[in-house]
Amino acid sequence: MLRPTYKNHWDIPGGYVEPGESPSAACVREIREELGINPQVGQMLVVDWAPAEKEGDKVLYVFDGGSLSEDDLRRIVFEDGEIDEYRYVEPSGLETLVPPRLARRLHMAVIAKRSGRTIYTEHGKKLPGSSGL
């Protein structure tokens, strides 16, 4: 988890997809920009439709970021001043750090990782009767 300097809650690495850029490539770029490392991004875990009154409808993707090596951890830098801190967080501790919709999305990502399937959600909630993508 990352603690951005411009938000009052923790978040995951990420941002907007640039024109002509795939969601996976955007994930790698955002992690590189925010943490200064080049991760091996794995499968897409969650696709979440997330409408926001002030921002409009969004489709958000959560990818498997894998595990970081000790070398990766030593190389993490916050160059642009947007990130203040990072930490590993157990899923049970998410609700105290992030907004409810992000906590729901991340819990679905844990389920998707364990099941080996991508899960489609709306507001971080799995639709009744859906088994994934």
Side-chain angles (χ1 to χ4, degrees), residues 4 10 14 22 40-41 43-44 57 67-68 71 73-74 78 83 89-90 100-101 107-109 120 127-128:
W10 289 72
S22 74
Q40 294 292 319
V41 172
Q43 81 173 66
M44 182 187 309
D57 290 6
S67 298
L68 299 180
D71 187 50
L73 295 174
R74 282 191 295 276
F78 308 128
I83 306 299
V89 176
E90 291 294 325
R101 66 182 180 166
H107 285 296
M108 289 292 107
Y120 171 76
L127 300 179

Side-chain angles (χ1 to χ4, degrees), residues 53-118:
E53 187 175 309
K54 296 177 184 176
E55 301 171 13
D57 290 6
K58 296 179 182 181
V59 176
L60 304 170
Y61 305 94
V62 178
F63 287 88
D64 183 352
S67 298
L68 299 180
S69 69
E70 289 298 321
D71 187 50
D72 289 330
L73 295 174
R74 282 191 295 276
R75 291 189 334 229
I76 289 176
V77 293
F78 308 128
E79 293 181 354
D80 60 10
E82 289 187 6
I83 306 299
D84 193 40
E85 180 183 354
Y86 79 90
R87 74 168 70 149
Y88 284 102
V89 176
E90 291 294 325
S92 61
L94 289 170
E95 282 76 12
T96 62
L97 297 176
V98 302
R101 66 182 180 166
L102 178 55
R104 290 190 304 267
R105 188 178 308 127
L106 295 176
H107 285 296
M108 289 292 107
V110 171
I111 292 167
K113 172 72 174 170
R114 289 179 182 154
S115 70
R117 300 185 64 156
T118 300

Side-chain angles (χ1 to χ4, degrees), residues 9 17 21 25-26 33 45 53 58 60 79 81 111 116 122 133:
H9 60 82
V17 175
E21 181 180 48
E33 290 175 1
L45 299 173
E53 187 175 309
K58 296 179 182 181
L60 304 170
E79 293 181 354
I111 292 167
E122 295 184 358
L133 295 179

